[in-house]
Amino acid sequence: MLEKGRETKDKLEVALLRKLDLRLIPLLSVLYLLSYIDRSNIGNASLGGLQRDLGLTHQEYQWCLSIFFFGYIIFEIPSNIVMRRWRPSNWLGLLMGSWGIIATAMAACRTFAGLAICRFLLGACEAGFFPGVIYFLSVWYTRKEYGRRMGLFWSFGSLAGAFGGLFAYAISQIPDHRLASWQWLFIIEGAPSVALAGFAAWYLPNSPETCRFLSEDERALEIRRLAADAKGGHPHQEEQEAAGDHFSWAAVLSVFSDWKLYVYMLIYFLGTCSLQGVTLFLPSIVAGMGTWSPVEAQALTTPPYCVAFVATLAIAYSSDRLFERSWHMILTNLVGIAGFAILLLVDVDRVALRYFGACIVVGSVYGNVAPKVAWFNNNFGGLTRRAIASAAIVSVGMVGGALGGQIYYDPPQYQHGNQIALACLAAQSVIVLLLRFAFMYENRRRDKLDSDTYVLEIQKYGGPDMAGDRHPDFRYVL
């Protein structure tokens, strides 16, 4: 009888997850694809004559790349606070419409100042989307389910890189002398974001408590699943927060006194430095490998991103299946280090091998992200703490994105840029390993707590409603 009841529950959960996946993941992934195209198409625009037409020096172009991240960094935490207290669907739709308008308007830029301002505003508007979705998915999925969904969502960033090269190649063939190819690129790739913004605001649900696409029984099952996953045996915290009834500024501030926040910031910083450097300069890196035309170089950026797409999905699936994050990050980084070593050590005449190195580098730096995001999201308990931690980690980590726009300063081989990116992956791997050991120690310590210490630890952090991941019953994901 118990076995039959368990089978029925499993079937209901599978049906519920399928319903959630179909409602949330496709649209969020497409929105992310558009946002990633809009932020990174400046690399393809450069090959299409942007620098020449605007008279940009190499340093000015680098600052146009990096200033995007200053807007991103400044507005991420305020954006997630707004999203936590308002309707996520409306906020995400508003952000999308805003960045789409700015991305399209970049076609009208005529000076370095105009382009730099647009890139800063683009970063400010896109700032809330990625950390917002990191938080938003945690409202719907348990910790064991989260990594795969984040992998599917994030994989569309690499797909954007592949499509970006193909789109840039196709757009460069437009026979029009009124607008340059880079102007058509900004217009054609920015317009879909504007068009989809209103639909996204209408279609996306806000919380399990209020969504209309689930039945009453499905909503109740969803709340129970999330409550059970919260650990610590205090489901009322997650239920209240899912309903939007429990926002606490004390919970917001508690995030910034948590040591692991700063370790995760450093991990994210190092990964983003490599990732954004490679993303922004991949067209130039590939162009420097041979005697290809700019159009051919744009087309040749597609295969590395296809590798990244497959790697992201495979790594995210394995990470969720094994419910493990840190070793997946380290092994992925080792592959990336091997790829950078090929770019640094192999003779420039061996173009095929160097191109293979570029492919595995892109696959590594993108494949690293899904387990990394799932790891820090899994290890902050309570929706408010999770929302603020996600925004803070991505915000400070994106300083690495600003730095990534500066490290590739030595064309055409970019030896120094590749050396810095390799060092970042190596340093990140060491820190990830140390953090894993710290979590193992803390989990074992909590296993051995006596009843008096158990109660004292809950009281130390303001009671069960405030403790979150610091609750003695919570176990960190490794």
Side-chain angles (χ1 to χ4, degrees):
M1 195 72 177
L2 287 173
E3 193 66 33
K4 186 176 180 180
R6 192 177 299 112
E7 287 180 10
T8 302
K9 181 186 174 184
D10 289 343
K11 288 180 180 178
L12 290 173
E13 286 204 33
V14 168
L16 173 63
L17 279 172
R18 187 180 299 116
K19 207 167 184 179
L20 293 174
D21 289 343
L22 290 174
R23 182 75 177 199
L24 300 174
I25 303 301
L27 179 59
L28 290 173
S29 298
V30 169
L31 300 188
Y32 190 57
L33 182 146
L34 294 175
S35 79
Y36 215 87
I37 286 177
D38 290 340
R39 83 169 67 167
S40 60
N41 60 8
I42 190 170
N44 295 112
S46 176
L47 289 180
L50 172 69
Q51 283 182 262
R52 181 192 64 243
D53 293 349
L54 269 60
L56 302 178
T57 66
H58 185 68
Q59 287 73 26
E60 286 175 333
Y61 174 67
Q62 282 186 307
W63 275 110
C64 286
L65 300 181
S66 295
I67 201 168
F68 168 90
F69 297 101
F70 290 100
Y72 209 97
I73 291 161
I74 292 169
F75 290 100
E76 277 187 293
I77 294 176
S79 178
N80 259 28
I81 291 175
V82 172
M83 188 170 175
R84 179 69 185 89
R85 305 203 69 178
W86 194 35
R87 294 168 63 90
S89 57
N90 289 350
W91 185 239
L92 292 175
L94 179 62
L95 292 174
M96 186 180 188
S98 301
W99 88 59
I101 291 169
I102 295 165
T104 306
M106 285 170 63
C109 291
R110 291 290 181 271
T111 64
F112 163 67
L115 184 61
I117 290 170
C118 281
R119 288 284 295 175
F120 176 83
L121 293 176
L122 184 66
C125 292
E126 285 201 22
F129 186 73
F130 184 63
V133 172
I134 291 175
Y135 157 72
F136 185 63
L137 289 178
S138 74
V139 173
W140 300 91
Y141 294 103
T142 66
R143 295 192 296 170
K144 288 185 178 180
E145 299 159 356
Y146 185 88
R148 256 176 290 183
R149 276 74 187 181
M150 176 50 61
L152 281 167
F153 169 75
W154 170 251
S155 69
F156 275 66
S158 52
L159 208 58
F163 283 153
L166 291 175
F167 288 160
Y169 177 83
I171 291 168
S172 68
Q173 307 303 307
I174 296 176
D176 186 357
H177 299 293
R178 292 169 297 176
L179 294 175
S181 64
W182 63 268
Q183 291 175 303
W184 278 117
L185 186 71
F186 287 142
I187 292 170
I188 292 172
E189 294 186 347
S193 298
V194 181
L196 273 177
F199 174 75
W202 168 78
Y203 185 79
L204 288 173
N206 291 298
S207 74
E209 286 280 342
T210 60
C211 64
R212 297 180 181 179
F213 73 98
L214 297 180
S215 67
E216 285 189 27
D217 289 342
E218 288 170 331
R219 285 198 297 270
L221 175 60
E222 173 69 351
I223 294 298
R224 287 197 302 271
R225 284 172 2 95
L226 296 172
D229 183 62
K231 292 289 187 182
H234 300 283
H236 57 279
Q237 180 187 10
E238 294 286 334
E239 290 179 10
Q240 286 174 338
E241 293 197 351
D245 296 331
H246 189 79
F247 178 88
S248 165
W249 284 106
V252 172
L253 296 175
S254 73
V255 174
F256 296 96
S257 62
D258 192 330
W259 64 270
K260 67 180 179 289
L261 174 77
Y262 302 98
V263 180
Y264 276 128
M265 283 178 176
L266 182 56
I267 288 171
Y268 205 94
F269 168 87
L270 292 167
T272 305
C273 184
S274 299
L275 170 67
Q276 295 299 336
V278 169
T279 298
L280 293 170
F281 281 91
L282 183 65
S284 299
I285 292 170
V286 172
M289 289 183 181
T291 56
W292 301 300
S293 69
V295 172
E296 290 171 330
Q298 287 176 333
L300 285 168
T301 61
T302 298
Y305 284 113
C306 292
V307 173
F309 178 74
V310 174
T312 297
L313 293 178
I315 294 165
Y317 177 82
S318 174
S319 178
D320 254 16
R321 184 68 179 257
L322 300 175
F323 199 33
E324 197 285 330
R325 314 300 186 196
S326 54
W327 285 125
H328 283 78
M329 291 179 62
I330 292 170
L331 293 175
T332 304
N333 282 349
L334 291 176
V335 174
I337 289 169
F340 280 119
I342 290 173
L343 293 176
L344 288 166
L345 301 176
V346 171
D347 190 86
V348 293
D349 294 331
R350 303 184 68 179
V351 176
L353 183 56
R354 287 172 57 78
Y355 185 71
F356 171 75
C359 287
I360 63 174
V361 161
V362 176
S364 169
V365 296
Y366 275 81
N368 171 283
V369 173
K372 176 171 59 185
V373 170
W375 200 24
F376 70 68
N377 188 81
N378 288 165
N379 285 337
F380 282 92
L383 295 186
T384 298
R385 278 177 57 81
R386 199 175 302 146
I388 302 306
S390 297
I393 291 165
V394 176
S395 176
V396 174
M398 289 304 278
V399 175
L403 181 59
Q406 303 294 319
I407 63 175
Y408 283 87
Y409 57 84
D410 53 337
Q413 303 305 323
Y414 296 105
Q415 290 288 95
H416 291 141
N418 288 328
Q419 289 170 0
I420 294 169
L422 185 155
C424 287
L425 292 188
Q428 186 194 65
S429 299
V430 172
I431 297 168
V432 166
L433 188 61
L434 294 174
L435 185 58
R436 177 187 173 89
F437 290 149
F439 285 153
M440 289 173 63
Y441 172 82
E442 179 61 17
N443 286 345
R444 285 198 295 266
R445 187 189 71 83
R446 291 181 183 184
D447 288 339
K448 299 174 182 177
L449 289 180
D450 57 49
S451 57
D452 291 338
T453 310
Y454 179 97
V455 173
L456 287 174
E457 290 221 353
I458 295 174
Q459 293 174 347
K460 176 182 176 182
Y461 295 110
D465 287 348
M466 286 290 295
D469 50 278
R470 297 156 312 168
H471 194 285
D473 286 341
F474 188 94
R475 294 297 179 271
Y476 290 111
V477 177
L478 305 177

